[in-house]
Amino acid sequence: MLPTEDTIVAVASPAGRAARGIVRVDGAATPAILRALTGEVPDERGVRRARLRLRGWEAHDLSMACLVLRARAGRSYTGGESAELILPGNPHLLRRIVDDALSVSTPERIVRGALPGEFTARAMLAGRMTSEQAEGVQALVSAGNAHEHALARSLLDGSTGDRYRAVADELAVLLALVESGIDFTDEEDVVPIAPAELCARLGKLDVEMVSLLGPGSRATVDESPVRMALVGAPNAGKSTLFNALLGRERAIVSEQAGTTRDVIAEALPRDPMMPHAPAIELLDLAGLDAGSASDGRAHGAAQLAARDAIGAADAIVWCDPSGQFDDAKVAHLVAERPAMVLRVRTKADLVAPQDTGEMLAVCALDGWRMDALHRALCDAATTVRGYSTPLAPGSLVSRHRAALQEAQRCVREAMELINPAREAHSIELVASSLRLALDRIGEIAGRIEPDDIIGRIFATFCIGK
Amino acid sequence: MLAGGDGGARAVLFWSAMSGVVREFDVVVVGGGHAGAEAAWACANIADAGAGLRVGLVTLDPEKIGAMSCNPAVGGLAKGQMVREVDALGGLMGLATDATGIMFKTLNATRGPAVRSPRAQCDRHAYAREVQRLLRSREAITIIGASVERICTEARGGRRVVRGVVLKSVDAAWDGVEVRARAVVLTTGTFMRGLMHRGDAQTEGGREGEGPARGISGALREMGFELGRLKTGTPPRLRRGSLDWDGLDEDGGEVAPTPFSEMTERGAFPVLEQVSCRVTRTTEAGHALIRENLHRAPMYTGQIESVGPRYCPSIEDKVVRFADRSSHHVFLEPESHESDWVYCNGIATSLPVDVQERLVHSMPGCERAEVVQWGYAVEYDMVRPHQIDATGMTKLVDGLFLAGQINGTSGYEEAAGQGVVAGVNAARWAMGEALVTLGREQAYIGVMMDDLVTKTPVEPYRMFTSRAEHRLILRADNAADRLTELGRAWGLVSDARWALLERRRAELERVDVLVESARCADGAWLRDAVRRPGYEAADLARDLALRPGVDVMWGVLETVHAERAYEGYIRRQHAEIRRHSSMERRAIPDGFDFARIEGLRSETKRNLSRFRPATIGQASRLEGVNPTDITVLLVAMQRSGAAG
């Protein structure tokens, strides 16, 4: 963790072009940065219009309208002096603003770029939010899709926390009942919980934890882009499709088959309609053919590189203008890969366009159905990353998931220990498992102390001779 | 933490120009109850181990040293483990109990070894006499019959440091004497501004027939200590001859009990003739009587405002809180061979005498009972324990230690455990050595000290096994394995006791090897059989053909069995301990300014500033301190260059 006295600055809007961009500043140098950027420092919190003047613009008498959202210490997200500048989402412009803000830094008053999550960490350190909510923010920022987005919101509004606490509470009640049978056996009034009832109530807890964890828990959060290779016979229109998807001329397109020799990789711009889909890296490959000696070594190398790229891709976009998808060379490569395959009928302007369940007909030249293709790619990427199985709230944040899984393991262990089929059971071991389960849940729901357990016993039974 | 002194001074009598007679000791222990006796005893052990300390034990009435104010029972669930720990640290409670017990019993005998606890009923008179005999046998200890009028302190290096106490005594040799010491241990029990209640009658005093200690409360308050007030109670005592003793159900002890002390010779144990108790019960008529007279109960008239223990409620409390019950058990426990007093376990009360009498007579077998001492409640001052460290030393005054009920605990065993900790550290302070603590993973005593310094007591603190997160490790059977080596390093453990531990270790190893290679009667490997539920240490003795006390040392099979039966769980508890160890013991610098930490909620700042935790572990257990607060605290420590 870097010093919290520093002023931090960062672009706070998603990367890439967007209608609006946000630069966030937090720390004591906030007023100085605002003065440098806009020539004025609003001292009231709230939104103000301002004119942005960047270094070097003076000569050209340039300025740009922007909004300044100012928050004073104690009332801001992070608890400190902070501001947000809202302006057109031009990445270059945003970078320039950050650079200008950084130039305000002095040895006494350091201004530096923010680390990922540092604004939220500051908010947490300032007591503006619980760690659970901070994790919600983090999950929200990195949510892979709309469903995860909703789950992240449930962390933020505390409804998931309520479920954790309900589990912890029931565990505490059960532990108190078990403990009463250990610490107060010499008390006539104490009736320890019957194994069958304990088992039944633990079973209910297990069900709730299963529901919190969900069936398809993400083992690890893979944030790397999903690699999608455009595959097809030479001259299948892959490069045209590639350029159309990127929205610029990246690959050389030619009527001459086999123009593309190298593997070209580019990030697919995010679909504004699917902001939480995983990032996608598109690979444009050489067309696959049987190859012949006359094509030369360069061609052979291109073929090898293409095959390697297919081997490493997460998904394959099989392009075929004929719509037959029976090219044996491609089919062979595709078949031996477990990767997801999308069939795209390219050059659909050449024939009567028709869509079937298995393929998507597009025309890259006039952009026909390109938006549908874009969305299909995002869906495929989401599926590849395993986000498609509905995630449960407890599985979203790895710390929560680990705590829940361990607690669940302990609860199941306790159930196994009191299994009526066993001849005898060690009640202190049952208690040990339940205590551990409670400690684990406590890491996300708030710790329940032995004193609380003892208090519950006193509240339930007449203790004391 | 280092003391200023250089240790080793002998008691000297000389005249001070200013204030008359001055006597000098290294450590002065104030109070001769179970905490005080144990503290003085620990100092004597350290003195004999070569430190040559002189200990003054100041008490109102030396004849009352070791008195059992309430039930003459030692041990019980979790408490029994603590007595074993006190013993493993060279303490005297186990020795005195073994020598004077008249009924021994293992509680939770049908449950696992971690939650079994030894309990003994002692002969009240013999017990006190034995404690006095043991203390008098120690050359290092001087017993002084006096009360403490003043606690003397002086400023040294910006700190307040204890200098000694000024006495008041009927003994002219001690009256008005200033007793100087580098360390003072206060163990005032229920005597600080003790006030006894019975109906609307109030009597000053800490125990039936004894006066209160008035001066100390004021002295502590003047020094800036925050005091609190607690309440506890005791039942009436009956004359055995007046009861239908033989007509009542018998509740007996064990035929072949296990002694508390490792040092007790099995052949001569138990020493005293064993007795059995009787069981009776309260009746619907008795409950009706209590309900009719609640307006005369000090607990309900507002006469007593302080809080009593929930686990030891008065009978009027039980009748009110558990109104659906028409009867409660009452155990009639003989108190001594030397008297015919019977303790009425189950009807602690501060109701007026006439109600007590009718209540007693409403119980079967007690219709004509003669009450020899009436029940009463006692209110007393305590020093809120957030003002001590886990070493027992106060944060306000260097060299001043508190132990026992003054810290808001209840029970002889809790007092004894604190007595050992305070005694060891008082001696170490006097010698200029670093103070020591026990961790929650090492001993129930450690759990207790940690609880005391991290929790605000709402009632007198009593130990329960469920307070110990490492209960499977903190067993009665392995107390010596856990603590005797530590006790040896601290100078508490005699050569004889140390030799026993060395022998025991060899035996544990030997039996463990045997278990590895033996099969039991049904042909299964013993190492597997030992994990079966229901397989006991006695089965191990049979399957290994080892007779405890003959072929193998007493107590060894119990430990081998427990360690094996719990093996996986113990491994997991050790893993948990390791997981938390780095944070647990990370020290927060002395005098760290919690109020100036940025980003902490004000409630958290208040709690941290009030408790002034010594470690991150302690901080994390404070009320209202959550993991985020700990992160903030760590960041603040790092910034101040103190994260170490």
Side-chain angles (χ1 to χ4, degrees):
Chain A
M1 171 118 220
L2 287 165
T4 49
E5 297 93 338
D6 295 355
T7 297
I8 52 175
V9 52
V11 176
S13 47
R17 279 176 185 281
R20 291 217 185 287
I22 299 169
V23 172
R24 182 178 287 163
V25 182
D26 183 78
T30 300
I33 291 171
L34 288 180
R35 186 169 296 112
L37 292 174
T38 67
E40 56 184 328
V41 185
D43 50 352
E44 290 292 305
R45 61 192 285 271
V47 183
R48 294 291 162 82
R49 285 181 187 285
R51 303 296 298 182
L52 193 65
R53 299 159 200 281
L54 294 181
R55 280 186 302 161
W57 284 10
E58 306 90 341
H60 310 288
D61 201 21
L62 280 172
S63 79
M64 176 182 276
C66 71
L67 290 176
V68 176
L69 197 157
R70 173 102 166 95
R72 302 304 305 273
R75 306 290 297 271
S76 66
Y77 176 73
T78 58
E81 288 283 334
S82 71
E84 285 179 1
L85 282 91
I86 302 160
L87 60 167
N90 176 329
H92 174 71
L93 178 65
L94 297 174
R95 256 197 314 274
R96 281 286 313 272
I97 293 172
V98 171
D99 287 345
D100 276 18
L102 292 177
S103 70
V104 172
S105 186
T106 64
E108 294 77 38
R109 199 181 53 194
I110 291 167
V111 179
R112 60 174 169 79
L115 297 175
E118 195 171 2
F119 288 106
T120 299
R122 284 190 172 191
M124 194 188 84
L125 287 176
R128 305 290 294 185
M129 56 173 68
T130 65
S131 57
E132 184 188 279
Q133 286 173 322
E135 281 165 328
V137 171
Q138 206 150 29
L140 199 60
V141 170
S142 63
N145 56 31
H147 183 65
E148 288 194 5
H149 195 261
L151 292 180
R153 291 212 69 85
S154 79
L155 286 181
L156 272 176
D157 69 18
S159 58
T160 297
D162 288 345
R163 286 178 74 186
Y164 294 161
R165 278 182 286 277
V167 170
D169 199 57
E170 170 72 352
L171 262 175
V173 168
L174 295 178
L175 179 58
L177 290 168
V178 170
E179 291 289 5
S180 70
I182 295 174
D183 263 336
F184 302 98
T185 43
D186 51 343
E187 303 288 343
E188 49 172 336
D189 185 64
V190 173
V191 185
I193 186 165
E197 191 200 339
L198 180 57
C199 230
R201 288 173 73 172
L202 287 175
K204 279 189 195 147
L205 271 184
D206 185 42
V207 168
E208 169 65 358
M209 286 193 277
V210 164
S211 143
L212 277 167
L213 279 165
S217 307
R218 241 152 93 183
T220 52
V221 183
D222 187 351
E223 300 296 355
S224 66
V226 175
R227 295 160 66 87
M228 294 192 166
L230 300 183
V231 176
N235 210 13
K238 299 182 294 295
S239 295
T240 310
L241 196 63
F242 185 75
N243 287 342
L245 282 168
L246 293 182
R248 62 199 160 105
E249 298 294 310
R250 176 64 182 84
I252 303 158
V253 180
S254 153
E255 288 298 315
Q256 177 71 40
T259 309
T260 304
R261 293 280 171 121
D262 300 321
V263 176
I264 302 170
E266 277 293 325
L268 183 72
R270 283 193 177 270
D271 183 341
M273 299 297 287
M274 303 183 74
H276 301 296
I280 296 171
E281 191 175 64
L282 271 186
L283 308 171
D284 187 23
L285 313 180
L288 296 166
D289 57 22
S292 62
S294 64
D295 291 326
R297 280 168 60 193
H299 177 77
Q303 288 288 309
L304 266 177
R307 278 157 210 265
D308 283 351
I310 292 169
D314 298 303
I316 287 162
V317 183
W318 186 354
C319 305
D320 184 353
S322 75
Q324 299 301 309
F325 297 102
D326 58 356
D327 187 328
K329 294 181 285 288
V330 180
H332 161 72
L333 276 170
V334 166
E336 67 190 26
R337 288 272 310 141
M340 164 167 290
V341 180
L342 256 102
R343 289 157 200 246
V344 178
R345 180 166 192 179
T346 44
K347 306 184 185 177
D349 57 326
L350 299 179
V351 293
Q354 92 195 101
D355 238 6
T356 71
E358 284 86 41
M359 71 171 162
L360 193 65
V362 300
C363 176
L365 283 180
D366 60 8
W368 182 71
R369 306 211 10 117
M370 285 302 289
D371 51 345
L373 175 61
H374 203 147
R375 206 143 306 150
L377 293 178
C378 288
D379 278 341
T382 303
T383 309
V384 163
R385 278 288 170 262
Y387 297 175
S388 57
T389 38
L391 272 172
S395 64
L396 192 56
V397 178
S398 61
R399 190 176 71 90
H400 295 200
R401 188 176 55 242
L404 276 168
Q405 280 172 340
E406 183 64 13
Q408 186 187 37
R409 206 183 58 70
C410 294
V411 163
R412 288 181 174 174
E413 184 181 270
M415 287 166 72
E416 179 56 33
L417 281 166
I418 47 171
N419 185 347
R422 288 168 67 127
E423 50 195 293
H425 64 272
S426 304
I427 194 75
E428 70 276 19
L429 295 183
V430 175
S432 165
S433 298
L434 292 184
R435 177 77 247 180
L436 210 54
L438 192 56
D439 284 347
R440 285 295 174 274
I441 282 283
E443 289 172 9
I444 54 178
R447 187 171 152 74
I448 293 185
E449 298 278 349
D451 238 19
D452 305 329
I453 301 293
I454 292 164
R456 283 166 207 262
I457 299 175
F458 292 138
T460 314
F461 301 113
C462 174
I463 300 286
K465 281 183 275 197
Chain B
M1 260 178 285
L2 288 170
D6 53 3
R10 294 269 144 191
V12 195
L13 175 71
F14 62 92
W15 286 91
S16 152
M18 297 294 291
S19 59
V21 183
V22 171
R23 291 282 299 265
E24 205 158 277
F25 289 93
D26 295 288
V27 177
V28 164
V29 177
V30 180
H34 305 281
E38 213 65 68
W41 181 261
C43 290
N45 283 340
I46 293 172
D48 286 4
L53 296 167
R54 297 292 305 173
V55 187
L57 176 56
V58 178
T59 182
L60 291 167
D61 179 357
E63 295 301 312
K64 294 279 166 55
I65 290 175
M68 301 179 124
S69 319
C70 197
N71 188 0
V74 171
L77 294 168
K79 291 161 166 272
Q81 276 91 325
M82 284 218 280
V83 180
R84 295 277 295 143
E85 291 174 357
V86 166
D87 183 67
L89 291 168
L92 67 66
M93 182 167 266
L95 296 171
T97 304
D98 287 345
T100 62
I102 51 177
M103 184 175 122
F104 292 86
K105 202 175 192 174
T106 302
L107 301 184
N108 266 347
T110 59
R111 304 217 179 276
V115 293
R116 280 177 211 162
S117 306
R119 179 186 187 271
Q121 260 171 253
C122 294
D123 181 315
R124 158 195 307 287
H125 300 293
Y127 185 91
R129 211 166 43 234
E130 177 66 5
V131 170
Q132 290 166 27
R133 184 189 72 78
L134 286 167
L135 290 174
R136 292 214 164 89
S137 73
R138 305 305 294 266
E139 202 199 330
I141 300 174
T142 304
I143 295 172
I144 304 161
S147 66
V148 167
E149 284 300 288
R150 224 153 28 94
I151 300 164
C152 310
T153 63
E154 59 195 26
R156 200 185 295 157
R159 300 275 309 165
R160 188 136 287 278
V161 183
V162 82
R163 196 182 64 192
V165 293
V166 175
L167 303 182
K168 182 182 175 186
S169 178
V170 289
D171 181 350
W174 292 106
D175 194 36
V177 169
E178 181 185 343
V179 175
R180 287 199 178 156
R182 272 187 285 272
V184 172
V185 184
L186 290 185
T187 69
T188 53
T190 58
F191 282 79
M192 281 208 308
R193 289 206 308 129
L195 184 62
M196 294 179 283
H197 301 260
R198 186 181 291 140
D200 54 10
Q202 299 179 27
T203 318
E204 286 193 4
R207 186 160 52 209
E208 182 78 19
E210 295 176 57
R214 292 194 189 86
I216 298 182
S217 290
L220 289 169
R221 215 185 286 273
E222 265 171 41
M223 283 184 231
F225 285 101
E226 182 189 329
L227 305 187
R229 210 150 164 78
L230 289 174
K231 171 252 160 190
T232 188
T234 194
R237 318 296 205 269
L238 313 178
R239 189 174 301 289
R240 181 172 155 172
S242 66
L243 306 174
D244 178 18
W245 191 255
D246 297 326
L248 290 165
D249 287 340
E250 187 176 348
D251 179 44
E254 253 166 272
V255 184
T258 306
F260 280 87
S261 177
E262 295 281 312
M263 301 294 284
T264 295
E265 197 58 58
R266 294 273 179 149
F269 177 81
V271 180
L272 299 183
E273 187 194 332
Q274 299 295 288
V275 301
S276 62
C277 300
R278 292 294 183 275
V279 187
T280 182
R281 58 185 174 81
T282 58
T283 59
E284 191 63 78
H287 290 203
L289 175 75
I290 290 168
R291 275 191 284 268
E292 283 160 24
N293 286 282
L294 271 183
H295 63 284
R296 300 172 68 197
M299 293 293 294
Y300 289 89
T301 57
Q303 186 179 321
I304 295 179
E305 287 173 6
S306 39
V307 193
R310 286 171 298 179
Y311 48 81
C312 203
S314 60
I315 185 66
E316 48 267 38
D317 246 356
K318 288 201 255 185
V319 167
V320 170
R321 283 179 46 211
F322 299 91
D324 53 324
R325 294 184 56 96
S326 57
S327 175
H328 295 282
H329 280 175
V330 179
F331 290 82
L332 299 170
E333 303 171 346
E335 289 201 333
S336 172
H337 286 306
E338 297 164 37
S339 77
D340 57 356
W341 285 30
V342 171
Y343 182 92
C344 272
N345 198 346
I347 53 165
T349 182
S350 54
L351 284 162
V353 167
D354 62 298
V355 184
Q356 287 194 32
E357 180 157 43
R358 280 186 287 160
L359 172 66
V360 165
H361 290 169
S362 73
M363 303 190 300
C366 306
E367 292 84 356
R368 285 171 301 279
E370 184 189 332
V371 179
V372 288
Q373 183 188 299
W374 301 102
Y376 60 89
V378 58
E379 285 185 288
Y380 55 95
D381 283 350
M382 66 152 165
V383 177
R384 294 195 179 279
H386 66 267
Q387 298 166 97
I388 58 166
D389 277 321
T391 58
M393 191 164 88
T394 62
K395 294 169 183 173
L396 268 180
V397 181
D398 285 351
L400 181 63
F401 293 79
L402 308 179
Q405 275 167 304
I406 192 171
N407 286 331
T409 63
S410 121
Y412 311 142
E413 305 80 359
E414 287 84 350
Q418 292 168 71
V420 175
V421 172
V424 170
N425 281 318
R428 294 179 75 87
W429 182 263
M431 297 185 297
E433 285 176 15
L435 303 190
V436 292
T437 57
L438 288 167
R440 294 185 73 92
E441 75 290 356
Q442 285 175 302
Y444 274 96
I445 298 173
V447 172
M448 169 174 64
M449 295 309 294
D450 186 72
D451 281 347
L452 288 179
V453 301
T454 57
K455 303 275 178 285
T456 302
V458 293
E459 63 187 341
Y461 178 95
R462 176 184 153 180
M463 185 49 76
F464 300 106
T465 71
S466 49
R467 291 196 193 276
E469 54 273 63
H470 308 299
R471 177 165 61 191
L472 300 182
I473 297 171
L474 307 184
R475 303 186 308 273
D477 69 79
N478 70 349
D481 308 326
R482 289 186 276 128
L483 298 170
T484 296
E485 185 167 355
L486 210 52
R488 179 74 171 172
W490 295 346
L492 295 171
V493 169
S494 65
D495 291 344
R497 194 184 279 276
W498 182 245
L500 274 181
L501 179 73
E502 289 192 318
R503 220 183 106 204
R504 178 178 153 86
R505 283 177 168 174
E507 291 272 274
L508 284 170
E509 209 167 301
R510 176 172 71 95
V511 174
D512 213 48
V513 171
L514 290 178
V515 171
E516 221 22 73
S517 55
R519 287 177 188 271
C520 52
D522 63 6
W525 286 104
L526 204 49
R527 58 172 183 264
D528 298 327
V530 76
R531 288 198 185 85
R532 291 177 192 159
Y535 190 95
E536 285 295 328
D539 300 312
L540 200 56
R542 183 202 56 222
D543 286 337
L544 288 173
L546 292 175
R547 289 161 299 170
V550 181
D551 309 309
V552 62
M553 231 175 135
W554 288 103
V556 164
L557 293 178
E558 281 76 5
T559 299
V560 170
H561 166 252
E563 295 281 331
R564 294 244 173 196
Y566 289 145
E567 195 178 358
Y569 294 85
I570 287 179
R571 209 180 309 125
R572 190 165 70 187
Q573 292 209 334
H574 281 300
E576 279 288 292
I577 293 165
R578 272 196 304 278
R579 196 168 110 94
H580 296 295
S581 63
S582 64
M583 281 295 165
E584 180 59 43
R585 297 244 167 181
R586 183 177 292 184
I588 299 172
D590 209 18
F592 190 79
D593 191 354
F594 297 104
R596 293 184 58 180
I597 301 176
E598 273 173 56
L600 276 185
R601 290 165 301 148
S602 54
E603 180 210 349
T604 311
K605 279 186 196 174
R606 239 192 338 269
N607 271 345
L608 287 168
S609 304
R610 179 177 164 83
F611 281 86
R612 290 176 52 204
T615 61
I616 291 293
Q618 284 178 9
S620 70
R621 284 185 289 276
L622 295 182
E623 204 183 339
V625 174
N626 61 36
T628 311
D629 301 329
I630 294 299
T631 313
V632 177
L633 174 58
L634 285 168
V635 169
M637 280 166 61
Q638 201 155 26
R639 254 192 263 162
S640 72

